[in-house]
Amino acid sequence: MGDAPSRPPAAPGAPQPGAAAARLFAEEVPRNLTAEQARLKREIYEKMNPRRRKFVDRLGYDLWDPFQAPKDPLDIRTERSQRTAQDLLDEFSRAHGAASRDRAYRAGAVECAIGVINKDEKFQGIFDFCLWYHDLLKKEGHLP
């Protein structure tokens, strides 16, 4: 059983065996290459070792993009005012002098900032309770 050498499809868009499975999760579509890029792509493919070619054949030569730009890093999570957890902590620290407080105080602030960013219901409950308690103390005259 001699394996025939893998080659790119003769006609653009020709189906590749197994390419449907690869495309099931791919969000990309083939991009239009310049004549120079198409020539370079062919050269790169022809110089590849057979194992790597097999991967490209499974993906589909047309979908394979050797000139792909690197993917962006994960999105930085922000809350509704577009602040990151670090932004919130920095502002809180400046406003309340949290940097001079003990470790437990700072850890609580960090935990709350991350909870707010992740929209964790636990922290919504803590927030609602704190507001209610503040209003209660004010109503009873314990706070100005």
Side-chain angles (χ1 to χ4, degrees):
M1 288 188 199
D3 288 342
S6 300
R7 290 186 209 139
Q16 291 282 327
R23 285 192 197 109
L24 180 63
F25 299 107
E27 296 176 2
E28 299 176 13
V29 293
R31 71 175 174 144
N32 296 327
L33 301 175
T34 65
E36 178 66 15
Q37 287 176 323
R39 184 185 64 74
L40 284 171
K41 180 178 179 177
R42 172 85 52 184
E43 283 180 25
I44 292 169
Y45 180 84
E46 289 172 356
K47 291 179 182 178
M48 284 180 158
N49 68 39
R51 187 173 181 172
R52 183 71 178 150
R53 275 190 190 187
K54 193 174 185 180
F55 170 78
V56 172
D57 291 342
R58 197 172 346 119
L59 176 65
Y61 180 81
D62 291 339
L63 288 177
W64 173 60
D65 187 2
F67 313 111
Q68 228 172 15
K71 298 206 182 289
D72 290 332
L74 291 176
D75 291 317
I76 295 175
R77 295 182 188 185
T78 58
E79 42 81 66
R80 67 179 77 185
S81 68
Q82 302 306 309
R83 290 179 179 94
T84 64
Q86 188 61 51
D87 294 336
L88 290 172
L89 288 167
D90 291 344
E91 286 185 41
F92 178 76
S93 183
R94 281 192 298 273
H96 293 281
S100 63
R101 300 294 296 259
D102 70 349
R103 188 177 187 156
Y105 182 89
R106 291 190 312 266
V110 168
E111 190 176 352
C112 286
I114 292 171
V116 166
I117 298 296
N118 291 333
K119 297 178 178 92
D120 188 335
E121 285 295 313
K122 171 184 171 183
F123 296 97
Q124 184 64 51
I126 292 170
F127 178 75
D128 291 342
F129 179 83
C130 291
L131 286 178
W132 170 82
Y133 185 63
H134 182 266
D135 291 343
L136 178 68
L137 292 176
K138 232 178 184 180
K139 187 170 102 179
E140 292 178 350
H142 300 290
L143 292 176

